[in-house]
Amino acid sequence: MTLDQPAPSRGSTIRSAEVLVTGPGRNFVTLRVTTQDGVVGLGDATLNGRELAVASYLQDHVVPMLIGRDAHRIEDTWQMLHRGAYWRRGPVTMCAIAAVDVALWDIKARIAGLPLYQLLGGASREGIMAYGHASGRDLPELMDSIRAQQAEGFRSIRVQTSVPGVDKIYGVSAAPSSGTYDYEPAQRAPLPVEEDWDTRAYLRHLPGVLEAVRNEFGPELPLLHDAHHRLTPNEAARLGRAVEPYDLFWLEDCTPADNPEGLRLVRQHTTTPLAIGEVLTSVWDYRQLLSEQLIDYVRSSVTHAGGITGLRRIVDLAALHQVRTGFHGPTDVSPVGMAAALHLDLAIHNLGIQEYMQHSALTGEVFGQTFRWSGGLLHPGEEPGLGVTYDDDAADRHPYSAAYLPLNRLKDGTIHDW
Ligand code: KDG
Ligand code: MG
């Protein structure tokens, strides 16, 4: 028996795939796929501090496989890149797959003449609740920073604070009271800078800060906090319990997710909602976390978890366990990755919240974007496809220069999770 093969649609055949590396304020890697008919799709392939590894993976190993394929065959292309490499998962591979996947979704939606969210099932809501970022080296600075975020329109706010005795800490902006949260952890230098850490000092300090913020802003304001992978399960359990009176929307990365069983211990001791997963890249990484209901929010991004196709698998497994989403959205997720997240956010049912760290004006010179921000809600806009453009001339004005996330050391010099 032979199967009738549908005639290949020549216009949607992939003519070129270009890997674009630029550094407007910070480094980005973008894949631009063009069909025979000249329809262009963009995908984000930015892996903070390891950008060139993904650029090479794409350029040397993936681009040759794309030329001549039908751009419409998104699932088949995803499976080919996932199964066909033999070496599965991992951030470099999944970022590369994500860039291809998102570029193909962009092309499909542009050919259909529809914003991408329409192809993902249409809008499930009017707009997407997003959280902003506040930080302070002391309480007055933190309160000002929260007010500045509220003035920007944010209705939910992540709070990060300096800790007495710790010199440099994740998430605290150098000049937070200036209004904009301009914290960028990746420093432009040939080698990573070093920061320091003291868990006991952090555990002593944080609950009082959250109490002061709650007292100042009242019970309504959703507050979030990122512990950034630094605690053992027992320390995380202690922190979760200590901050229960301040009603966090979530406590993020309270302990590294490498050891999912550790979350059982945290759950036994606290009902503070837990968000995990910005470094997880595949639905397989979430199996135990979700099936045992060890977390409340999945934090992966389109960019790091295999694109719309990969992340949707995580979202759907999460939905089975009443877990909601809070996609990772720092500035190292490019405007392309951010737009892809917003289209998915608008369409899925189990949206929780979207992280939104606004990109700099320099980044905006390269990436034109159409997403809207009003009343504390984001919307991806109504342009066909993702609604993002790439300006080659502007990109050339801002070349890549090496930047690395910091290293973390304890007082005695031991390397700790950053
Ligand atoms: O590249 C790493 C950053 O994106 C990460 O440190 C930011 O933890 C982060 C967050 O929650 O945005
Ligand atoms: Mg985080």
Side-chain angles (χ1 to χ4, degrees), residues 131 158 170 226-229 252-253 278 299 328 355:
Y131 70 88
R158 190 187 84 167
Y170 166 75
D226 191 347
H228 222 260
H229 323 267
E252 179 183 345
D253 288 331
E278 67 183 40
R299 284 281 288 144
H328 193 209
E355 179 179 13

Side-chain angles (χ1 to χ4, degrees), residues 26 47-49 131 133 158 160 170 181 183-186 226 228-229 250 252-253 278-279 299 304 328-333 355 357 405 418:
R26 55 153 307 107
L47 185 59
N48 208 0
Y131 70 88
H133 297 74
R158 190 187 84 167
Q160 301 297 128
Y170 166 75
Y181 178 81
Y183 174 73
E184 172 53 64
D226 191 347
H228 222 260
H229 323 267
W250 78 36
E252 179 183 345
D253 288 331
E278 67 183 40
V279 298
R299 284 281 288 144
H304 302 124
H328 193 209
T331 49
D332 47 286
V333 168
E355 179 179 13
M357 203 182 282
L405 293 170
W418 175 74

Side-chain angles (χ1 to χ4, degrees), residues 259-281:
N259 169 25
E261 290 82 2
L263 272 298
R264 290 188 192 141
L265 188 142
V266 183
R267 281 294 211 208
Q268 278 161 20
H269 294 284
T270 180
T271 55
T272 292
L274 304 176
I276 291 232
E278 67 183 40
V279 298
L280 303 185
T281 60

Side-chain angles (χ1 to χ4, degrees), residues 5 11 38 46 63 72 76 90 119 131 170 197 215-216 236 240 252 266 273 285 308 360 373 411:
Q5 296 292 324
T46 308
V63 165
H72 279 307
D76 183 58
L119 272 56
Y131 70 88
Y170 166 75
W197 181 247
N215 288 342
E216 179 75 13
E252 179 183 345
V266 183
D285 300 335
I308 298 276
S360 69
W373 168 238
K411 297 288 179 211

